[in-house]
Amino acid sequence: MNNLTAIIGLGYVGLPLALEATRAGHHVLGLDISEEVVCGLTRGLSHVDDLDNEDVRDMLALGFAATSDFSRLVEAQTVVICVPTPLSGEGAPDLVAVQAAVRNVAAHLHPGMLIVLESTTYPGTTDEMVRPVLEASGLVAGVDFHLAYSPERIDPGNARFGPKNTPKVVGGHTPACTTAAVAFYASFVDTVVRTKGTREAEMAKLLENTYRHINIAMVNEMARFCHELDIDLWDVISAASTKPFGFQAFRPGPGVGGHCIPIDPNYLSHNVRARLGYPFRFVELAQEINATMPAYVARRIQDLLNADGRALRGASTLLLGVTYKPDIADTRESPAVPLAKILRAQGANLSFHDPYVKDWSVGGEEITAAADLIEGIRDADVCVLLQDHSAYDLNLIAGQCRRLFDTRGVCAPSDRVQLL
Ligand SMILES: NC(=O)c1ccc[n+]([C@@H]2O[C@H](COP(=O)([O-])OP(=O)(O)OC[C@H]3O[C@@H](n4cnc5c(N)ncnc54)[C@H](O)[C@@H]3O)[C@@H](O)[C@H]2O)c1
């Protein structure tokens, strides 16, 4: 046994954490069930946006290793779990990966170990799901080993805030567990914030994401009626943003994407309903509004063509930017997918362009990529700006389009038909 830190799940969350801990001098072992991930990392190749191959090679030089051999957990003093927590087909929390990871830890648990769950989940998971599996080993949390929850706050593509300078919230099963987890994170994170317990730390993450989800839904709903009322909501938001206190700007768009905003609040509302029998109405309403934005955008594209006597059926329609946020390659839960499904079902002739995405398929069917942006734009009856990647020259795009539907409000007002 030595001072090894094991990180389980080497994705968008686990890998940047492993990099930061390795840089701070920790001896880090990364564990993942994917042989592809393990082999890639062992060969010095990164598969996430925020790390390049050089970062991985630096980590390897500093002693980091990746493996799918979970028996090596026996060597670890600290274990951090960063596995995915998606939704099941029925929209319920899917904790299969967390359960599998915890069972692996339990099989190698030893006195003095610190176990931290980072995966986003509903409040009570650490205490009610993780702790019993670990304690089945005969060891007791808070007595024989330390147990804590610390939500991940990674923001892929954010050049200003990374794992080191984003304050880290930590809540332990007991105060001593919190102290042990705080000591671990304080060795490579600038600011560590203690919560009362694991539930408060779990809930803090859900509050952050639910807050965004609800506020985005509010401006999305406003976008629809401001359009009807001929009010420029972008102008409204710029004006309101000048208030130096009590206001934070959220902007409308074609829907919400990624693996936090469209998913995490559902963990909370599902849990409230299952436990208490009543709905978390704000979340359910926000879900409904954000989920219907792609259909709204499709209708507005149809209106734009219709105004020129054109039908959507057969219209060559170019989607610009299909990732869920700008300047990253991640397309998970991107609203471009439901929009493409609706447009295709209505007979549009679809193609896409994205500087970060080479191949893109929707519902198992490949969407043609425009090899050349300008040629693609010139060939299209309508271009739909879904993601304003900074690589896009918006003036150039707007200048070349026959029709442009700008869902981000970033092109000059004279050039665009915007969402509002
Ligand atoms: N990506 C983000 O921006 C972000 C931000 C905050 C929180 N989170 C949360 O962090 C958690 C991880 O998300 P992510 O984006 O890193 O996921 P990811 O899909 O990028 O990576 C997860 C990794 O875990 C591996 N894995 C799956 N099951 C495993 C198991 N049983 N044992 C070991 N490895 C396993 C997968 O092979 C994959 O490499 C989720 O709960 C997510 O909600 C993500």
Side-chain angles (χ1 to χ4, degrees), residues 106-128:
H108 302 97
L109 191 66
H110 53 77
M113 231 176 179
L114 165 66
I115 321 298
V116 187
L117 177 65
E118 286 212 7
S119 302
T120 305
T121 182
Y122 57 80
T125 305
T126 309
D127 190 38
E128 294 156 24

Side-chain angles (χ1 to χ4, degrees), residues 4 6 27 29 31 65-67 69-76 108:
L4 188 75
H27 181 201
L29 180 70
L31 296 114
T67 182
D69 175 6
F70 285 80
S71 69
R72 292 206 51 200
L73 281 169
V74 75
E75 301 165 39
H108 302 97

